[in-house]
Amino acid sequence: MAELRLRDLRKSYGSAEVIRGVDIDIEDGEFVVFVGPSGCGKSTLLRMIAGLEDITSGTLEIGGKRVNDAQPKERGVAMVFQSYAIFPHMSVRENMAFGLTISGAGKAEKGAKVAEAARILQMEHLLDRRPSQLSGGQRQRVAIGRAITRNPSVFLFDEPLSNLDAALRMDMRMEIGKLHDQLATTMIYVTHDQVEAMTLADKIVVLKDGQVMQIGSPMELYNNPANLFVAGFLGAPSMNFLSVDVLEHAGEEAKVSNPSLEPIVVRTAGRPVKAGRKATLGVRPQHLRVSDKGRLHGNVILAERLGSETVADLRLDDGSKLIAAFAEDRILEVGQRLSLDFDADAAHLFPEQG
C-alpha cells in the first residue's frame, strides 16, 4: 500500500496544456475516484501516475518517493484498462500469471498467486478457459486478477466498466467495492459515471479542463458543491439552475426571487453574492415537492413514470425549464399546472458568472 502526493502536476502536448497544475493528496488505502466529462484530463492524469505519460512539470510522489522519471514497473502500480487488454490465445490462468512470467517468477509462486487471485474473484472454475469463452464481466475479472497477482501498492482503474451493460456494471461495481474492502489497498478509479463515483469513492476529485474543481467525500460534494460546475455534474437528474435577483444580503443569508419564484431567504455558504445583482439558485429535482402554497409555478411539458419515481419537465412562467423528481408514481398530464416548493436549506446560491 502507498500514499500519493501530486504537486502542481502539469502535462502539455506542444502548446496545448491538458493538465494544469493539479494538487491532490491520496492517503494509504483510500479509494479515490477521478470524475469529470470527456476530455477533462482524468485518464491522462491516471496515465501520468502509471508512468505511461511523461510529466511536463510538477512532482509525483508514491510512498514518499519522487517517481517523475521512474519506469512504470518501478512504481508499484498495476493498471486495469477499459479494453481488458488480455491475450486471446492464453488461458485465464496464463493471462493472470503474465506479469509474474515477465518478471521471472517461479512456477510455484505463479501458481500460488493466481490461485489466491482466483479465490478472491470467485473464478477458480474459469482458470482453464480462453477469453473467447468468457462474458464481458468475466474478462474484466481476468484483467483485475492479473493486477492482483502483481501485489501492487496502488491499483489504477481506467473506466473499467464502460464496455459492460447496465446490469453487469452494477454487479462489477459491487465486486470492485468488495475487492477494495478485502485488499485494503490504495485504488484510483477514473470514470465519467457519477453513480460509480458516488458509490465507490472514499474521496472524489472532480476535474474540468485539466483542473481540479473540488475534492471531498461523495456526500460533501453532493451537499456542498463549491461551484456551478460541481453542482451540475453530480446528481441525477442534474440540479436545476434559476437566474434570480438578489433583493437583500445580510451575513450568511440572502433574499432572492425572479418572475417565477416568490421571494425566499437562502444560505449563501460564504459565496460572494451581492444585493442588487443577479445570482444563480440551484435546487435539486428531488428536493421539489407539490404544494398549494408553492413558490414556483409552471406547466408540465413532459412526465416520465419510472415506477419508483416520476420525473417531470416543467415550463415556468418566465419561460425557463425545471425538472422535478417525485419519489412516488404520480400521474401528471401535459399542460397541467403545478405549484412547487422546496426547503430553503436545500437550495444553493452561487454568484453570477463573469
Side-chain angles (χ1 to χ4, degrees), residues 1-4 27-30 62-63 76 151-154 183-186:
M1 295 187 289
E3 71 281 353
L4 290 87
E27 302 306 325
D28 191 12
E30 262 192 322
I62 300 177
N151 193 30
S153 300
V154 183
L183 299 179
T185 305
T186 307

Side-chain angles (χ1 to χ4, degrees), residues 57-72:
S57 65
T59 301
L60 170 63
E61 292 183 2
I62 300 177
K65 292 177 56 179
R66 187 179 186 274
V67 297
N68 285 44
D69 302 315
Q71 293 297 310

Side-chain angles (χ1 to χ4, degrees), residues 103-231:
S103 64
K107 184 176 180 179
E109 181 184 356
K110 288 194 292 184
K113 288 190 173 181
V114 168
E116 176 62 11
R119 183 193 65 78
I120 290 171
L121 295 170
Q122 299 180 1
M123 54 189 304
E124 295 100 326
H125 60 295
L126 301 176
L127 288 175
D128 294 318
R129 294 189 187 180
R130 295 290 177 89
S132 60
Q133 299 172 297
L134 305 178
S135 68
Q138 289 169 336
R139 292 177 192 179
Q140 194 57 277
R141 288 189 187 205
V142 175
I144 294 171
R146 184 174 56 196
I148 291 173
T149 60
R150 294 183 55 195
N151 193 30
S153 300
V154 183
F155 283 87
L156 306 176
F157 294 89
D158 189 8
E159 303 207 44
L161 309 186
S162 59
N163 287 338
L164 306 180
D165 62 37
L168 269 178
R169 276 204 306 272
M170 184 172 67
D171 289 344
M172 283 302 301
R173 189 167 69 234
M174 294 173 64
E175 291 299 323
I176 291 173
K178 288 191 290 186
L179 180 67
H180 177 252
D181 292 340
Q182 190 167 355
L183 299 179
T185 305
T186 307
M187 293 185 176
I188 305 174
Y189 188 104
V190 161
T191 184
H192 64 273
D193 187 327
Q194 58 172 287
V195 174
E196 290 179 18
M198 294 291 290
T199 55
L200 286 172
D202 298 319
K203 179 161 58 185
I204 294 176
V205 179
V206 182
L207 294 161
K208 178 190 178 189
D209 298 332
Q211 295 179 298
V212 174
M213 295 288 101
Q214 191 174 359
I215 300 175
S217 69
M219 294 315 298
E220 179 184 349
L221 268 59
Y222 184 83
N223 291 322
N224 299 292
N227 50 54
L228 281 170
F229 178 80
V230 176

Side-chain angles (χ1 to χ4, degrees), residues 237-238 240 283-286 288 311-314 321-325 340:
S238 296
N240 295 293
V283 183
R284 295 203 180 277
Q286 294 82 359
L288 292 165
V311 178
D313 287 29
L314 291 92
K321 285 183 62 178
L322 187 80
I323 297 176
L340 302 173

Side-chain angles (χ1 to χ4, degrees), residues 272-286:
V273 300
K274 296 181 180 179
R277 301 285 294 274
K278 291 284 188 181
T280 299
L281 184 70
V283 183
R284 295 203 180 277
Q286 294 82 359

Side-chain angles (χ1 to χ4, degrees), residues 10-20 56:
R10 296 177 183 270
K11 175 66 179 178
S12 297
Y13 297 101
S15 61
E17 190 175 35
V18 295
I19 300 296
R20 306 178 180 183
T56 302

